[in-house]
Amino acid sequence: MAASVQKKINFYLMIKKIKEIKNLAVFKSFDWDSNLRDKGNNVINFKPINILYGRNYSGKTTLSRILRSLEVGAISDKYENPEFLVSFEDGEDISQSKLTEHQRKIRVFNEDFIKENLKFISNPEDSVLPFAILGGNSSLETEIIDLKKELGNDEEEKETGLI
């Protein structure tokens, strides 16, 4: 298999489960395989699309912070001695001590992302930090490029103001 094809396949390998969590908010000593089982006693793993819901203080934000730490390379400093192990479909496991060593492309849109990138929501004086959410939609990227050409942009001092 060509190297470029292999890279594209690896890019879409998904998270299988968060094997363990220790010392993170409500998760004192969580073991996925012991706690997440179906009626037939089989371990339940993440699916391509997952919805996490629960009451306040049930751990939703903590789970999103674990996944976001894979994106940003650090876990929130709100936790003392946190430990976790995230398992991927290809068998690779990433712990809190390996956050800067993996090559995975992870994107998490959670409360921390909003605080870091959309500060203008809580403070109108702040500006919007540039970010993009793209995923397999090249026509959207092409449309953005075409609009930039048509309308101009600030960097080139060719902004037309047309909407």
Side-chain angles (χ1 to χ4, degrees):
M1 185 178 304
S4 63
V5 173
Q6 185 63 38
K7 282 184 182 180
K8 287 180 183 179
I9 291 171
N10 287 340
F11 179 80
Y12 293 106
L13 288 174
M14 56 181 223
I15 295 170
K16 183 176 178 182
K17 60 185 168 184
I18 303 174
K19 280 186 173 180
E20 61 184 51
I21 309 170
K22 296 179 183 172
N23 303 320
L24 279 142
V26 299
F27 300 100
K28 301 305 176 203
S29 184
F30 174 81
D31 177 72
W32 183 286
D33 291 351
S34 299
N35 289 282
L36 293 168
R37 296 191 167 261
D38 63 17
K39 291 180 182 179
N41 203 31
N42 302 302
V43 174
I44 300 170
N45 293 320
F46 281 124
K47 305 290 184 216
I49 296 174
N50 302 274
I51 298 173
L52 305 177
Y53 63 93
R55 295 180 178 194
N56 289 341
Y57 305 102
S58 63
K60 301 178 305 290
T61 298
T62 302
L63 293 174
S64 75
R65 284 186 172 146
I66 289 170
L67 300 177
R68 181 138 166 87
S69 73
L70 296 171
E71 176 182 356
V72 299
I75 187 75
S76 172
D77 59 4
K78 295 180 180 198
Y79 306 111
E80 190 174 322
N81 300 317
E83 295 180 38
F84 59 84
L85 193 60
V86 178
S87 180
F88 287 82
E89 284 182 326
D90 64 355
E92 181 181 13
D93 292 338
I94 300 173
S95 70
Q96 73 288 341
S97 62
K98 306 274 185 187
L99 292 175
T100 59
E101 297 174 21
H102 73 89
Q103 301 297 312
R104 305 285 178 163
K105 300 242 186 254
I106 308 286
R107 298 293 179 257
V108 176
F109 185 83
N110 66 358
E111 177 184 13
D112 296 334
F113 176 90
I114 291 168
K115 285 180 184 174
E116 293 166 17
N117 296 283
L118 305 176
K119 296 175 186 176
F120 70 93
I121 291 173
S122 59
N123 182 359
E125 301 300 316
D126 267 327
S127 61
V128 178
L129 294 175
F131 67 92
I133 301 173
L134 300 173
N137 191 345
S138 60
S139 64
L140 180 60
E141 192 170 353
T142 302
E143 186 177 341
I144 291 169
I145 292 167
D146 291 343
L147 284 170
K148 277 186 174 181
K149 288 177 185 174
E150 182 181 338
L151 300 176
N153 62 53
D154 250 357
E155 290 97 29
E156 298 172 350
E157 295 181 4
K158 295 181 180 176
E159 191 171 26
T160 64
L162 296 175
I163 296 180

